[in-house]
Amino acid sequence: GAGVSQSPSNKVTEKGKDVELRCDPISGHTALYWYRQSLGQGLEFLIYFQGNSAPDKSGLPSDRFSAERTGGSVSTLTIQRTQQEDSAVYLCASSLDWAGNEQFFGPGTRLTVL
Amino acid sequence: LAKTTQPISMDSYEGQEVNITCSHNNIATNDYITWYQQFPSQGPRFIIQGYKTKVTNEVASLFIPADRKSSTLSLPRVSLSDTAVYYCLVGDRGTGFQKLVFGTGTRLLVSP
């Protein structure tokens, strides 16, 4: 596609529910990244994929967070048993490869946990 | 990744040149300097990247002194649409840029 797309754009859920956030990277980009941004804060790295593998999961806040990428394309970030502190904008980015190239960001998914 | 320090906010007027300086005293030999721009409710957007001296593109210029302990992003003749948060990042292109570490950035407000 023309750019990175994410869905849904907004998600409101109740505490304790599971949510899935989707990212469609730019076609041909082998690297994919997930970040989150809380209100008024900078971006916090969560995880990155090179192809379908995730060499660095160090940013995932807890074991309630997981992510997968299939076919070297679409990625899903899953948050189980959501908590109010999970409320944030979740941003996905992709880059041509892992070698420090420009990352292209999607519009994000705004998650609100009630 | 080398830690960076930027001003929290800056104010300017339309048509002026804006210079945002970033300090990165612990920059390593292999580190590059990258700037991103973020508008409200949008993801960050790459502006410019450099290693030393000066880099210029259609949007901005990046000035890096010989000791590379700081860098300055220069935005010529800003307009209202340049109001955004600007982030300075430093990292090794080969290993450190896989996960971009964003600080709080510099919030630029351009007024008429």
Side-chain angles (χ1 to χ4, degrees), chain B residues 5-22:
Chain B
T5 303
Q6 309 173 230
I8 294 175
S9 64
M10 294 182 68
D11 295 320
S12 184
Y13 293 94
E14 282 189 295
Q16 290 190 335
E17 178 184 79
V18 171
N19 296 306
I20 306 174
T21 297
C22 178

Side-chain angles (χ1 to χ4, degrees), chain A:
Chain A
V4 177
S5 60
Q6 294 185 244
S7 60
S9 56
N10 281 284
K11 177 70 177 180
V12 180
T13 190
E14 294 179 348
K15 178 181 174 181
K17 300 282 189 181
D18 297 351
V19 296
E20 282 190 355
L21 311 180
R22 176 187 168 106
C23 172
D24 283 90
I26 292 173
S27 177
H29 280 193
T30 60
L32 184 147
Y33 315 79
W34 284 98
Y35 299 84
R36 74 175 176 181
Q37 187 170 32
S38 301
L39 187 63
Q41 302 297 312
L43 277 77
E44 174 189 4
F45 168 81
L46 298 179
I47 187 171
Y48 100 93
F49 289 89
Q50 179 55 35
N52 291 333
S53 65
D56 188 347
K57 303 179 182 180
S58 63
L60 294 178
S62 73
D63 58 7
R64 296 185 296 105
F65 288 72
S66 64
E68 66 175 13
R69 189 181 186 194
T70 55
S73 182
V74 173
S75 176
T76 302
L77 177 69
T78 301
I79 309 173
Q80 296 179 309
R81 306 180 302 282
T82 53
Q83 303 294 312
Q84 289 183 332
E85 61 263 29
D86 299 333
S87 296
V89 175
Y90 289 81
L91 289 154
C92 174
S94 70
S95 65
L96 191 59
D97 55 35
W98 57 269
N101 284 312
E102 173 184 353
Q103 292 188 18
F104 294 83
F105 283 80
T109 294
R110 181 175 298 278
L111 174 65
T112 303
V113 182
L114 302 176

Side-chain angles (χ1 to χ4, degrees), chain B residues 51-53 64-70:
Chain B
Y51 183 80
K52 63 180 179 180
T53 61
I64 305 169
D67 66 5
R68 303 199 327 120
K69 293 185 182 299
S70 68

Side-chain angles (χ1 to χ4, degrees), chain B residues 12-61:
Chain B
S12 184
Y13 293 94
E14 282 189 295
Q16 290 190 335
E17 178 184 79
V18 171
N19 296 306
I20 306 174
T21 297
C22 178
S23 297
H24 28 79
N25 292 318
N26 297 322
I27 191 168
T29 302
N30 294 330
D31 286 345
Y32 279 71
I33 300 153
T34 307
W35 286 80
Y36 278 76
Q37 173 192 55
Q38 186 177 27
F39 297 113
S41 302
Q42 294 186 25
R45 184 181 70 154
F46 174 92
I47 302 176
I48 197 166
Q49 184 181 82
Y51 183 80
K52 63 180 179 180
T53 61
K54 176 183 175 181
V55 180
T56 297
N57 61 23
E58 66 277 7
V59 176
S61 294

